Amino acid sequence: MKIICLDLEGVLVPEIWIAFSEVTGIPEFRRTTRDESDYHKLMKYRIDLLNKHNLKLVDIQNVIQKIEPLEGAMDFLASLRKTSQFIILSDTFEEFAMPLLAKLAHPLLFCNSLKISPEGMVSGYEIRKENGKMHAVLALKGLNFRVFSAGDSYNDLDMIKESDSGCLFRAPGTIKAEYPLLPSVETYEELLLKIREF
């Protein structure tokens, strides 16, 4: 049996932190895992920025409430559901993801969680497991699933490499240039074709 593992942001929904940057007018929030390969460094940077500007979890959640799935994402998932089981593997946080999952018809999501101060500030985060996307793929393979993975960022690379098959999806040129041997697609139609060929 095969199972499909998908990243969330950049694959099915817009990047949360970029949307937050646009609403707040703070360009530094545009930095994502598409730009930074060290996730812990990136999260420290984000938390420091939130504290500097006195922005709380609710400020981020108010932006997330207005985010809609990427154009074509729902049709893609509807087609995928007809033939395959899938899991979303993300380094986002449950405090961010719940409204988005409702808009995606409640798929299964593995993600992390935030630490929130009594004042509502983001004070830290809890990683489910270091390099959790890769370990999820390895666990699924250990259960004799054949795994296909797709994502767009540095934190998706190990997941894709450990899968039986996979590809980059709408990845930035820098990542595609650094990893020229990884297949790369730009449209949901191309992604569905890759999955069907798997």
Side-chain angles (χ1 to χ4, degrees):
M1 184 176 180
K2 67 182 180 182
I3 195 160
I4 314 304
C5 295
L6 301 170
D7 181 30
L8 178 63
E9 294 176 62
V11 175
L12 299 173
V13 300
E15 293 279 351
I16 291 168
W17 291 98
I18 291 177
F20 189 60
S21 171
E22 291 170 355
V23 170
T24 61
I26 302 169
E28 291 87 353
F29 281 120
R30 292 186 65 85
R31 190 164 184 79
T32 71
T33 52
R34 292 165 62 97
D35 311 297
E36 174 58 63
S37 60
D38 186 329
Y39 187 73
H40 294 290
K41 179 179 176 182
L42 179 61
M43 280 307 300
K44 181 182 184 309
Y45 172 81
R46 288 167 169 169
I47 292 170
D48 288 346
L49 269 178
L50 290 170
N51 288 327
K52 177 182 175 183
H53 295 280
N54 196 34
L55 292 163
K56 299 182 178 183
L57 173 62
V58 68
D59 298 311
I60 306 170
Q61 290 174 326
N62 287 339
V63 172
I64 293 170
Q65 290 287 347
K66 298 173 185 174
I67 292 176
E68 296 295 330
L70 291 168
E71 184 177 350
M74 292 306 294
D75 289 340
F76 163 72
L77 289 181
S79 296
L80 187 60
R81 282 185 170 103
K82 291 176 183 176
T83 59
S84 305
Q85 297 291 316
F86 70 92
I87 300 173
I88 297 177
L89 302 180
S90 175
D91 281 330
T92 194
F93 307 97
E94 57 184 318
E95 294 83 358
F96 289 2
M98 291 309 152
L100 299 174
L101 292 185
K103 294 177 182 182
L104 294 170
H106 300 284
L108 177 62
L109 167 72
F110 294 172
C111 68
N112 303 309
S113 58
L114 291 170
K115 295 179 181 178
I116 307 300
S117 75
E119 298 75 31
M121 300 294 291
V122 178
S123 59
Y125 56 97
E126 293 182 5
I127 296 292
R128 182 180 68 255
K129 186 174 181 65
E130 287 295 333
N131 208 345
K133 296 182 183 191
M134 180 193 75
H135 285 290
V137 166
L138 292 173
L140 289 166
K141 289 172 70 175
L143 293 170
N144 291 323
F145 285 99
R146 294 180 63 243
V147 182
F148 179 101
S149 294
D152 69 328
S153 300
Y154 282 108
N155 62 337
D156 298 313
L157 295 172
D158 289 339
M159 168 180 81
I160 295 170
K161 290 175 186 175
E162 290 295 339
S163 296
D164 297 292
S165 184
C167 65
L168 294 167
F169 179 75
R170 295 181 182 168
T174 49
I175 293 178
K176 290 190 283 189
E178 285 181 57
Y179 298 89
L181 298 181
L182 284 181
S184 181
V185 299
E186 298 297 320
T187 69
Y188 290 120
E189 291 77 12
E190 291 174 306
L191 183 54
L192 273 175
L193 184 59
K194 287 276 187 191
I195 291 169
R196 287 170 181 158
E197 290 173 346
F198 169 56

